[in-house]
Amino acid sequence: MACGIVVVDKPAGWTSQDVAAKLRGVFHERRVGHGGTLDPMATGVLPVFVGRATRAAEYFEAAEKEYVAGLRLGVVTNTQDVTGEISATRPADVDRPRLEAALLRFTGPQMQVPPMYSAVKIGGQRLYQLARAGREVARPPRPIVIHRLELMDRDAAGDWLLRVRCSKGTYIRTLCHDIGQALGCGGCMASLRRTAAGRFGIGESVPMPVLASDAVPERFLLPVDTLFAELPACTLSEAQRRTCLNGAPVPARGTPLGRCRVYGPDGAFLMVGDWQGNRILTEKNFFEV
């Protein structure tokens, strides 16, 4: 039975749900969920949780992300990216020093207004549903953090490339739009590639065609405990393992570790536990029941 995390290099034109649906067939496992939505036009790192590992997806929600985005200045669209309808064009005589100076204003903690074309709910309705119906509503700004915003080179199309390290919930196309507004010429996102999500980087990602055609796709699955590598580990005796499998607090001796990775005597990952005093409590188990 397939269980683990596969880091997919999402192709352009696919939704994150498209990837999850495809992998249900690849792994013959209905329990498949992705770790953070990417827009269809975006490519890059999309961690996908398979089998019992889907129980770990909630731990990934707050992970930082890193992107390389193409910023097209002088063009404003209704979706804040090049897939939308152009609403304005203006001259964009912006050199590198001026753009670098503008980027400084978008680094650190800040409030960001989510775009109309997004899955955020207002009054019980998705914003993109309202946008498609021709309605625009007020959206309360949400706190985000831009940890790093680096200006790279220009690409073949003449768009500026930005490397962005940010908190969850950050809309990169809104960032591009807002930078354009700050410069007075407008702007939109021309391309987007996620290069990292949490501890997973583009170097360990697997292209969808490779996953779909491999005779043994399970070989690309990372163990679920990879997600908790920063926690200390403890190994149970056989008697302790049986107690753990029954869902009861596990009697323990030694120095309490607090939150920890818990393994059976055979090395199998059992749970994320919380070692308090002389017992280990279950935070989330990952053994098949």
Side-chain angles (χ1 to χ4, degrees), residues 40-55:
M41 72 174 287
T43 66
V45 174
L46 180 67
V48 178
F49 298 79
V50 180
R52 191 72 173 173
T54 52
R55 293 174 60 78

Side-chain angles (χ1 to χ4, degrees), residues 112-136:
Q112 185 184 68
V113 177
M116 278 301 301
Y117 281 87
S118 67
V120 174
K121 280 188 174 182
I122 298 290
Q125 283 190 284
R126 301 284 187 188
L127 284 176
Y128 66 79
Q129 295 173 327
L130 297 173
R132 288 170 182 169
R135 295 177 56 193
E136 181 163 352

Side-chain angles (χ1 to χ4, degrees):
M1 188 175 295
C3 177
I5 305 167
V6 59
V7 184
V8 177
D9 185 348
K10 189 189 85 65
W14 289 53
T15 68
S16 299
Q17 289 291 1
D18 290 339
V19 172
K22 179 67 175 179
L23 293 186
R24 289 187 185 100
V26 168
F27 291 107
H28 307 290
E29 170 60 65
R30 61 177 179 81
R31 296 171 297 174
V32 174
H34 60 78
T37 301
L38 273 176
D39 287 343
M41 72 174 287
T43 66
V45 174
L46 180 67
V48 178
F49 298 79
V50 180
R52 191 72 173 173
T54 52
R55 293 174 60 78
E58 65 182 87
Y59 291 94
F60 196 73
E61 291 176 355
E64 292 181 8
K65 312 293 194 305
E66 184 180 89
Y67 301 89
V68 172
L71 168 63
R72 182 166 298 173
L73 294 175
V75 178
V76 180
T77 74
N78 63 341
T79 60
Q80 301 181 345
D81 61 38
V82 293
T83 68
E85 297 177 2
I86 296 176
S87 55
T89 58
R90 304 185 187 99
D93 186 18
V94 177
D95 59 14
R96 187 181 187 93
R98 185 180 169 199
L99 179 52
E100 286 179 330
L103 296 186
L104 293 176
R105 296 153 57 182
F106 291 91
T107 303
Q110 56 201 272
M111 303 298 288
Q112 185 184 68
V113 177
M116 278 301 301
Y117 281 87
S118 67
V120 174
K121 280 188 174 182
I122 298 290
Q125 283 190 284
R126 301 284 187 188
L127 284 176
Y128 66 79
Q129 295 173 327
L130 297 173
R132 288 170 182 169
R135 295 177 56 193
E136 181 163 352
V137 298
R139 290 97 67 197
R142 305 190 304 175
I144 62 165
V145 181
I146 305 294
H147 299 285
R148 186 175 71 173
L149 182 53
E150 173 192 355
L151 180 60
M152 301 168 68
D153 297 321
R154 299 185 88 154
D155 63 15
D159 300 317
W160 293 99
L161 295 179
L162 309 176
R163 188 183 305 278
V164 186
R165 185 82 183 185
C166 58
S167 65
K168 73 165 189 173
T170 302
Y171 286 93
I172 304 300
R173 51 199 163 96
T174 297
L175 175 64
C176 290
H177 171 86
D178 292 347
I179 292 171
Q181 292 295 99
L183 289 166
C185 60
C188 67
M189 187 180 75
S191 61
L192 185 66
R193 182 160 178 78
R194 185 190 281 168
T195 52
R199 64 161 302 280
F200 303 118
I202 197 68
E204 57 195 312
S205 64
V206 185
M208 277 299 297
V210 173
L211 273 171
S213 62
D214 198 276
V216 189
E218 289 78 11
R219 70 189 182 93
F220 296 109
L221 290 172
L222 301 173
V224 66
D225 57 333
T226 304
L227 199 61
F228 308 104
E230 77 284 357
L231 298 178
C234 68
T235 301
L236 305 182
S237 67
E238 179 57 30
Q240 288 174 312
R241 186 187 75 90
R242 289 195 296 269
T243 301
C244 175
L245 296 183
N246 288 330
V250 178
R253 294 180 180 178
T255 304
L257 298 177
R259 294 184 72 236
C260 56
R261 291 173 286 136
V262 180
Y263 297 86
D266 59 354
F269 179 52
L270 298 177
M271 68 174 181
V272 174
D274 187 6
W275 188 340
Q276 301 178 357
N278 60 358
R279 63 181 186 169
I280 305 173
L281 306 176
T282 300
E283 180 177 296
K284 179 79 71 171
N285 71 60
F286 293 97
F287 51 83
E288 291 289 348
V289 294

